[in-house]
Amino acid sequence: MGQEAVELGHGEVNIIGVEENTLIASLCDLLERIWSHGLLTKKGKSALWSHMLSFLELEEINDSGKPIDPKLLTPAVSTSTAIQVATQMVALVPGLLQSSANLKNYLTPPTPDYFTGNHLWPNLSTHDSPNRNYKEIHSDAAANSVEVEKEKPAALTHRRSRSKGGTELPVLKAMPKSLTSDMKKVKAMTDIKTDVGFARAFVRLALEKKTLSTHLKELLADADLLRSLYKRYAFLRCEEEREQFLYHLLSLNAVDYFCFTNTFTNTIVPYKVLIFPSTKFGCFTTSANPWISIAGQLGETGVIEIPKGCLEFNTEQKNLGVLTTLRIGHDNSGMTPKWLVEYVLVRNEITGHLFKFPCGKWLGRVDDGSTERLLVGELVHPATETEDLGTLSRTPPRCMSPAPTGSPRHKLMEQSLSIPEIQEMLGHAVNNIVKHFHKPEKERGNITYLLCGENGLVQCIECVFKCGFKSARLFRHKFYSWDYLEKVKSCFETFLECPESLPPIASTDQAKAGYWLFCKRMNQINNATSETIGKDGRFQLFVCVGIRDRLLQQWLPLMANTTVTQQMYEENSFLRDRRAMSFLVHILDTLNDYNVCLESSLTRGLDI
């Protein structure tokens, strides 16, 4: 299951499906046999879980026996409050001042202040006149109170210091990695009824978090507990064998498991969501009512309303599995609804898996007018176990943020990618999809990321449409690929209404069928999608549906032969280069052998 499995040919360092369940069940049986060997008294059906419960009980007893935390004690009376009380006492007995030469003889000696060393009571020295009235003393006490408050240092807080712009980004704190914390998570699962079930759930969770060896080492470190539970000859009390056993378990960390996530599908899982907006352009917050929807391989959450001004919140949902997409938007209400979101982080609070959903685009009537965005997630692997997850918020890598000059992302934004570079990107994107389908069905990853993620097929097709476009000189507004598709649709509708206007090459029945299907799909997308989905979202849906229906490679040559393409593109553009178009059609034809299924979160349940 561990390093040996990788060496024997599991190149993707993951084992999924029936083989994984069989191996993990065998591992659980092995652990039960080891923990049952030499047991003094058997308690319950699972020796492993019984040992862990005893360990947890001792930990709770030790925690309860610790000294009282000073933070839980009643706070001390402040200096100003003490002076005010003393002054009121003096004011209530003015005759006492006249009958006594020194009030300090009748009062408890003053206590020095914790911060400044000043006395809490008013300074009534022996040189004070016995005839001073209580109003004068009250004024002295008030003056002392002001001085003490000025000298008192500012209270310490644990809030993160604000940035220069006066905004504060959320910080993702590291999760506890102790044995007791994971045990409490497993005990809280309501869909498990037996001790054996709890033990197996714990093993699966520890395998997925790569902490099985660490947790068992912590469990076996309590020598007194071992002596009270096991006989002298027990396996767990043999130090050399025990250390060798833990060393073998450490090799399991070489494999990525999702055995807990994919097994307990009905478990209620808490998710932590952190939204990182841009601190520039005055768009840190929005006056609109934002919402979010998360989707995974096992289900979707539906719309979750986000309180205004809230960038961090928790939500409990039925297990979504490995997260794939996230849709974020708002209702475009208020005076300043536009919102520039850098990215969103979502963490499974049981397994600790962290998913990042890059955005880098506006929500509102800006750019393409979209008030909602579909974000594709990717699993974040911390470089080290001690890495501070809060550092993810310090350098947010926006999808559309400025990139180093000469990089593929910078060239894409500047529309300066050459045809060979675009062909290379297309080759990598299609090759990744082909490799996806050549894996066993249960070992396949997320095809949505291969289609719509960074350097995915949709982004590569967008590069094709942006290569050699003339709008930089002819128009002032930003060009969107959807604008070109709308003009092509109008041209195709003219061809269908007036067959005599068709060019000789495009007068075949196959070409006419392509025109009709293209116009039908465009109308379906326009009619099915609401105004909240902008031009980028509609183009993304158009490409995905075209690949699914195996029609995109038929439409592209028809689009290239229209007068719209000649008017809007240079002669050296990708769409007007016959060799480049032949390459594109040929490489997309390789996907005809595979059944591409789109997630409902991508199509939003539309009947397209």
Short mmCIF file of all heavy atoms in Angstrom, two decimals, residues 213-234:
data_model
loop_
_atom_site.label_atom_id
_atom_site.label_comp_id
_atom_site.label_asym_id
_atom_site.label_seq_id
_atom_site.Cartn_x
_atom_site.Cartn_y
_atom_site.Cartn_z
N SER A 213 0.91 6.66 11.34
CA SER A 213 2.09 6.29 12.11
C SER A 213 2.30 7.24 13.29
O SER A 213 2.62 6.82 14.41
CB SER A 213 3.33 6.29 11.21
OG SER A 213 4.49 5.99 11.93
N THR A 214 2.09 8.54 13.06
CA THR A 214 2.27 9.53 14.13
C THR A 214 1.27 9.32 15.25
O THR A 214 1.62 9.38 16.44
CB THR A 214 2.13 10.94 13.55
OG1 THR A 214 3.05 11.11 12.46
CG2 THR A 214 2.41 11.99 14.60
N HIS A 215 0.01 9.08 14.90
CA HIS A 215 -1.02 8.90 15.92
C HIS A 215 -0.78 7.63 16.75
O HIS A 215 -0.91 7.65 17.98
CB HIS A 215 -2.40 8.83 15.26
CG HIS A 215 -2.91 10.18 14.84
ND1 HIS A 215 -2.34 11.35 15.24
CD2 HIS A 215 -3.97 10.52 14.04
CE1 HIS A 215 -3.01 12.37 14.72
NE2 HIS A 215 -3.99 11.89 13.99
N LEU A 216 -0.45 6.54 16.08
CA LEU A 216 -0.21 5.30 16.82
C LEU A 216 1.05 5.40 17.68
O LEU A 216 1.11 4.81 18.77
CB LEU A 216 -0.10 4.13 15.84
CG LEU A 216 -1.38 3.80 15.06
CD1 LEU A 216 -1.18 2.58 14.19
CD2 LEU A 216 -2.57 3.60 16.00
N LYS A 217 2.03 6.14 17.22
CA LYS A 217 3.22 6.36 18.05
C LYS A 217 2.87 7.15 19.30
O LYS A 217 3.36 6.85 20.40
CB LYS A 217 4.28 7.10 17.23
CG LYS A 217 5.59 7.30 17.96
CD LYS A 217 6.63 7.97 17.07
CE LYS A 217 7.95 8.13 17.81
NZ LYS A 217 8.98 8.77 16.94
N GLU A 218 2.01 8.15 19.16
CA GLU A 218 1.56 8.91 20.33
C GLU A 218 0.74 8.03 21.26
O GLU A 218 0.85 8.14 22.49
CB GLU A 218 0.72 10.11 19.86
CG GLU A 218 0.22 10.99 20.99
CD GLU A 218 -0.65 12.13 20.48
OE1 GLU A 218 -0.79 12.28 19.25
OE2 GLU A 218 -1.20 12.87 21.32
N LEU A 219 -0.07 7.15 20.69
CA LEU A 219 -0.89 6.25 21.52
C LEU A 219 -0.03 5.28 22.32
O LEU A 219 -0.30 5.02 23.50
CB LEU A 219 -1.86 5.49 20.61
CG LEU A 219 -2.76 4.45 21.27
CD1 LEU A 219 -3.73 5.12 22.23
CD2 LEU A 219 -3.52 3.65 20.21
N LEU A 220 1.03 4.76 21.69
CA LEU A 220 1.87 3.76 22.35
C LEU A 220 2.95 4.39 23.22
O LEU A 220 3.72 3.66 23.86
CB LEU A 220 2.52 2.87 21.29
CG LEU A 220 1.55 2.07 20.41
CD1 LEU A 220 2.30 1.32 19.33
CD2 LEU A 220 0.73 1.11 21.26
N ALA A 221 3.04 5.70 23.24
CA ALA A 221 4.07 6.36 24.05
C ALA A 221 3.74 6.32 25.54
O ALA A 221 4.63 6.52 26.38
CB ALA A 221 4.25 7.80 23.59
N ASP A 222 2.49 6.06 25.89
CA ASP A 222 2.08 6.00 27.30
C ASP A 222 2.40 4.60 27.83
O ASP A 222 1.59 3.66 27.70
CB ASP A 222 0.59 6.31 27.42
CG ASP A 222 0.17 6.56 28.85
OD1 ASP A 222 0.89 6.10 29.77
OD2 ASP A 222 -0.87 7.21 29.07
N ALA A 223 3.57 4.45 28.44
CA ALA A 223 4.00 3.13 28.92
C ALA A 223 3.14 2.64 30.07
O ALA A 223 2.86 1.43 30.18
CB ALA A 223 5.47 3.19 29.35
N ASP A 224 2.69 3.52 30.94
CA ASP A 224 1.85 3.11 32.07
C ASP A 224 0.53 2.53 31.59
O ASP A 224 0.05 1.52 32.13
CB ASP A 224 1.59 4.30 32.99
CG ASP A 224 2.87 4.79 33.65
OD1 ASP A 224 3.81 3.98 33.79
OD2 ASP A 224 2.93 5.99 34.02
N LEU A 225 -0.05 3.15 30.58
CA LEU A 225 -1.31 2.63 30.04
C LEU A 225 -1.10 1.27 29.38
O LEU A 225 -1.94 0.37 29.51
CB LEU A 225 -1.89 3.63 29.04
CG LEU A 225 -3.22 3.25 28.38
CD1 LEU A 225 -4.30 3.07 29.44
CD2 LEU A 225 -3.64 4.31 27.36
N LEU A 226 0.02 1.10 28.68
CA LEU A 226 0.31 -0.20 28.06
C LEU A 226 0.44 -1.29 29.12
O LEU A 226 -0.08 -2.41 28.94
CB LEU A 226 1.59 -0.10 27.23
CG LEU A 226 1.49 0.53 25.84
CD1 LEU A 226 2.86 0.59 25.19
CD2 LEU A 226 0.54 -0.27 24.96
N ARG A 227 1.13 -1.01 30.22
CA ARG A 227 1.31 -2.02 31.27
C ARG A 227 -0.02 -2.39 31.92
O ARG A 227 -0.22 -3.53 32.35
CB ARG A 227 2.28 -1.49 32.32
CG ARG A 227 3.75 -1.55 31.89
CD ARG A 227 4.67 -1.33 33.07
NE ARG A 227 4.55 0.03 33.60
CZ ARG A 227 5.30 1.05 33.19
NH1 ARG A 227 6.23 0.85 32.26
NH2 ARG A 227 5.14 2.24 33.71
N SER A 228 -0.94 -1.43 31.99
CA SER A 228 -2.22 -1.72 32.62
C SER A 228 -3.17 -2.48 31.70
O SER A 228 -4.14 -3.07 32.19
CB SER A 228 -2.89 -0.41 33.05
OG SER A 228 -3.20 0.39 31.92
N LEU A 229 -2.89 -2.50 30.40
CA LEU A 229 -3.80 -3.15 29.45
C LEU A 229 -3.25 -4.46 28.89
O LEU A 229 -4.04 -5.33 28.49
CB LEU A 229 -4.11 -2.20 28.28
CG LEU A 229 -4.87 -0.91 28.61
CD1 LEU A 229 -5.04 -0.06 27.35
CD2 LEU A 229 -6.25 -1.22 29.21
N TYR A 230 -1.92 -4.63 28.84
CA TYR A 230 -1.33 -5.76 28.13
C TYR A 230 -0.37 -6.54 29.03
O TYR A 230 0.25 -5.99 29.95
CB TYR A 230 -0.59 -5.28 26.88
CG TYR A 230 -1.51 -4.74 25.81
CD1 TYR A 230 -1.82 -3.39 25.75
CD2 TYR A 230 -2.09 -5.59 24.88
CE1 TYR A 230 -2.69 -2.89 24.79
CE2 TYR A 230 -2.95 -5.11 23.91
CZ TYR A 230 -3.25 -3.76 23.87
OH TYR A 230 -4.11 -3.28 22.92
N LYS A 231 -0.25 -7.82 28.70
CA LYS A 231 0.69 -8.69 29.40
C LYS A 231 2.11 -8.39 28.92
O LYS A 231 2.31 -7.72 27.92
CB LYS A 231 0.34 -10.15 29.14
CG LYS A 231 -1.06 -10.53 29.63
CD LYS A 231 -1.41 -11.96 29.27
CE LYS A 231 -2.82 -12.31 29.73
NZ LYS A 231 -3.20 -13.69 29.35
N ARG A 232 3.07 -8.94 29.64
CA ARG A 232 4.47 -8.62 29.36
C ARG A 232 4.90 -9.09 27.98
O ARG A 232 5.70 -8.44 27.32
CB ARG A 232 5.37 -9.24 30.44
CG ARG A 232 6.85 -8.93 30.24
CD ARG A 232 7.09 -7.43 30.39
NE ARG A 232 8.44 -7.04 30.03
CZ ARG A 232 8.85 -6.72 28.81
NH1 ARG A 232 7.98 -6.76 27.79
NH2 ARG A 232 10.08 -6.36 28.58
N TYR A 233 4.38 -10.22 27.50
CA TYR A 233 4.82 -10.76 26.22
C TYR A 233 4.04 -10.17 25.04
O TYR A 233 4.25 -10.59 23.89
CB TYR A 233 4.67 -12.28 26.22
CG TYR A 233 3.24 -12.76 26.37
CD1 TYR A 233 2.38 -12.86 25.27
CD2 TYR A 233 2.73 -13.10 27.62
CE1 TYR A 233 1.08 -13.30 25.41
CE2 TYR A 233 1.43 -13.53 27.77
CZ TYR A 233 0.60 -13.63 26.66
OH TYR A 233 -0.69 -14.05 26.80
N ALA A 234 3.14 -9.24 25.26
CA ALA A 234 2.33 -8.68 24.17
C ALA A 234 3.22 -7.98 23.14
O ALA A 234 4.28 -7.44 23.46
CB ALA A 234 1.31 -7.70 24.74
#
